[in-house]
């Protein structure tokens, strides 16, 4: 009797563990009930997916039945999509049409989101707004202390994103003020910096690509955004393939899977073959074991390993710059990239080999000595980046103890740097094997 009770207990534990790994169904939560009702009123019926909380990815959508490659995962009617057309048909439309210089499609969507969020219960979009994230982890939202811990090329782009956000706010204040007749409260209070930051991140991280014809009332920036309620709960995986497009015949945005999904599994889509730095910059997250990920080598780091006494150094750097070989130099899961090794070969050219620089750029090996020097230097750079990454990871763990308020942001950078470390260690191993003397 005792034994069978133990087996039943184990079975129950396994079942509980399995459901925990699969994800916890959230469709009974009031916000999702209201969202599904709101979508149903707009013609959306869904039997394939349900909202759930997953251990690794957080909130996502779970398959309610097995899905085969070629199956339609979701078909969201046009009425459910939030586009610049939605904005122009709202009370904001007349103000946008009159404003000069014209606002961008992106700013129009941001303005609409802020206005609807402020309207609260009165907003017809409230069921959707209620399930949107309250905060984001895009670089524009990160604290300066956190941005300083990012790898150099990403750090620069993060600072640029923050400055762009500040400039957008500064340049939009007069337009926001022109909307005062629509609001009882002061527009300066409604359209404040943090409201714009939230709206910008919502548009930047959650929209689907959907081309709209240019309208005279907008600036010349491309009008390619659509917010897709419910569909935007699908998380990204670099290992899946989907077909996604607006179907002109059904007037719906449709996603077809090229992968298979078991019942209760999380269903993923792919935002594109992006590395982790781009995912963090554009979407505010990092993908574990991302096959597209790589670690970037800055020109500054690269040139540290070549003597300033080399009389041809300036000419070599100029050649690399002219042929765009000082950027996108990387280490990946399969070792140093061809571009990085090519740049290293050019910088390693001896005085008697310098005339061969064109052939070297095209992939020729000038000499065994040149190739060996390039591999040795790649190994040194890799080791330097490993030590730098380990040092930053140590800083992060100390900051996590000292700055409780930055824990979420620090955990994100920690994840990025840990993935970088794995890639660099793999590259170091590959370079070590390449440098082993053959018997």
């Amino acid at each position: 009797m005792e034994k069978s009770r133990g087996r039943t207990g184990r079975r129950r534990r396994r079942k509980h563990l399995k459901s925990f790994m699969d994800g916890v169904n959230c469709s009974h939560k009031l916000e999702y009930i209201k969202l599904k009702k709101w979508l149903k009123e707009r013609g959306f019926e869904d039997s394939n997916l349900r909202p759930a909380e997953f251990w690794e990815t957080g909130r996502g959508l779970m398959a309610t039945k097995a899905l085969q490659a070629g199956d339609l995962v979701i078909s969201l009617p046009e009425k459910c999509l939030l586009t610049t057309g939605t904005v122009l048909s709202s009370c904001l439309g007349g103000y946008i049409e009159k404003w000069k210089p014209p606002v961008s499609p992106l700013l129009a969507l941001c303005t609409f989101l802020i206005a609807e969020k402020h309207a609260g219960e009165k907003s017809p979009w409230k069921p959707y707004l209620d399930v949107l994230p309250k905060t984001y982890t895009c670089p524009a939202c990160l604290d300066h202390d956190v941005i300083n811990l990012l790898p150099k090329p990403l750090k620069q782009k993060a600072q640029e994103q923050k400055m762009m956000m500040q400039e957008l706010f500064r340049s939009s204040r007069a337009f926001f003020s022109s909307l005062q007749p629509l609001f009882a409260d002061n527009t300066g209070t409604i359209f404040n910096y943090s409201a714009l930051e939230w709206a910008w991140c919502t548009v930047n991280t959650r929209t689907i690509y959907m081309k709209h014809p240019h309208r005279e009332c907008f600036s010349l920036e491309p009008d390619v955004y659509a917010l897709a309620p419910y569909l935007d709960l699908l998380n990204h995986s670099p290992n899946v393939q989907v077909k996604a497009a607006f179907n002109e015949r059904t007037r719906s945005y449709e996603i077809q899977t090229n992968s298979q999904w078991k019942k209760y599994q999380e269903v993923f889509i792919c935002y594109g073959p992006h590395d982790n730095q781009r995912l963090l910059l554009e979407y505010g997250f990092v993908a574990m074991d991302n096959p597209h990920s790589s670690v970037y080598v800055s020109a500054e780091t690269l040139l540290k390993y070549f003597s300033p006494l080399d009389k041809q150094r300036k000419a070599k750097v100029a050649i690399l710059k002219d042929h765009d070989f000082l950027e996108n130099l990387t280490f990946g899961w399969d070792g140093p990239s061809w571009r990085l090794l090519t740049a290293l070969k050019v910088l390693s050219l001896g005085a008697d080999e310098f005339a061969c620089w064109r052939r070297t750029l095209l992939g020729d090996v000038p000499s065994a000595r040149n190739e060996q020097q390039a591999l040795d230097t790649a190994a040194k750079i890799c080791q330097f980046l490993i030590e730098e990454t380990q040092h930053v990871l140590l800083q992060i763990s100390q900051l996590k103890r000292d700055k409780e308020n930055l824990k979420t942001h620090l955990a994100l950078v920690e994840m990025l740097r840990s993935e970088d470390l794995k890639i660099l260690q793999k590259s170091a191993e590959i370079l070590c094997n390449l440098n082993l003397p053959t018997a």
Side-chain angles (χ1 to χ4, degrees), residues 252-419:
S252 298
Y253 192 89
E254 296 179 345
I255 293 180
Q256 190 182 51
T257 180
N258 289 343
S259 311
Q260 285 188 321
W261 304 103
K262 291 176 187 164
K263 189 178 181 178
Y264 304 130
Q265 252 190 328
E266 180 171 10
V267 177
F268 290 99
I269 56 173
C270 183
Y271 302 169
H274 304 322
D275 65 34
N276 275 338
Q277 294 207 14
R278 186 161 170 199
L279 287 175
L280 180 52
L281 187 69
E282 294 192 12
Y283 302 103
F285 72 87
V286 169
M288 297 288 280
D289 301 317
N290 183 352
H292 308 298
S293 257
S294 45
V295 178
Y296 290 81
V297 179
S298 67
E300 185 192 336
T301 301
L302 180 80
L303 297 172
K304 265 199 311 199
Y305 293 86
F306 294 92
S307 169
L309 301 174
D310 176 2
K311 288 179 181 161
Q312 288 155 332
R313 188 177 191 265
K314 258 188 178 171
K316 290 171 183 175
V317 173
I319 287 163
L320 292 176
K321 199 171 184 179
D322 291 346
H323 293 81
D324 195 28
F325 266 87
L326 281 178
E327 285 189 3
N328 291 327
L329 308 176
T330 57
F331 287 102
W333 295 105
D334 50 0
S337 67
W338 180 82
R339 285 176 62 83
L340 175 57
L341 286 175
T342 303
L344 290 169
K345 282 174 193 170
V346 170
L347 290 166
S348 304
L349 287 169
D352 56 332
E353 297 168 333
F354 183 64
C356 304
W357 67 263
R358 276 191 185 84
R359 294 214 317 272
T360 308
L361 276 181
L362 293 170
D364 269 14
V365 180
S367 65
R369 180 213 59 82
N370 176 278
E371 184 166 39
Q372 193 55 52
Q373 192 182 330
L375 288 171
D376 290 347
T377 312
K380 284 175 192 168
I381 294 172
C382 191
Q383 190 52 42
F384 164 75
L385 291 172
I386 285 172
E387 287 166 18
E388 184 188 61
T389 306
Q390 287 170 330
H391 175 66
V392 172
L393 282 166
L394 196 64
Q395 280 180 285
I396 292 169
S397 60
Q398 285 166 347
L399 271 172
K400 275 169 86 178
R401 283 196 297 272
D402 301 341
K403 300 206 171 185
E404 190 68 33
N405 60 320
L406 298 180
K407 239 178 177 170
T408 311
H409 292 173
L410 287 167
L412 185 68
V413 182
E414 185 174 45
M415 201 171 156
L416 176 76
R417 288 291 198 163
S418 300
E419 285 291 295

Side-chain angles (χ1 to χ4, degrees), residues 12 15 39 56 62 67 75 85 142 144 259 287 289 354 429:
R12 204 178 292 125
K15 196 174 175 187
L39 289 164
E56 281 191 356
M62 170 197 279
L67 295 169
S75 177
L142 300 181
H144 286 291
S259 311
D289 301 317
F354 183 64
E429 190 186 312

Side-chain angles (χ1 to χ4, degrees), residues 34-52:
K34 286 182 174 178
L35 179 65
K36 289 293 275 284
K37 181 176 180 285
W38 181 84
L39 289 164
K40 194 176 179 180
E41 287 163 5
R42 283 159 177 75
F44 175 67
E45 287 285 0
D46 177 51
S47 57
N48 291 341
L49 306 165
R50 69 163 69 121

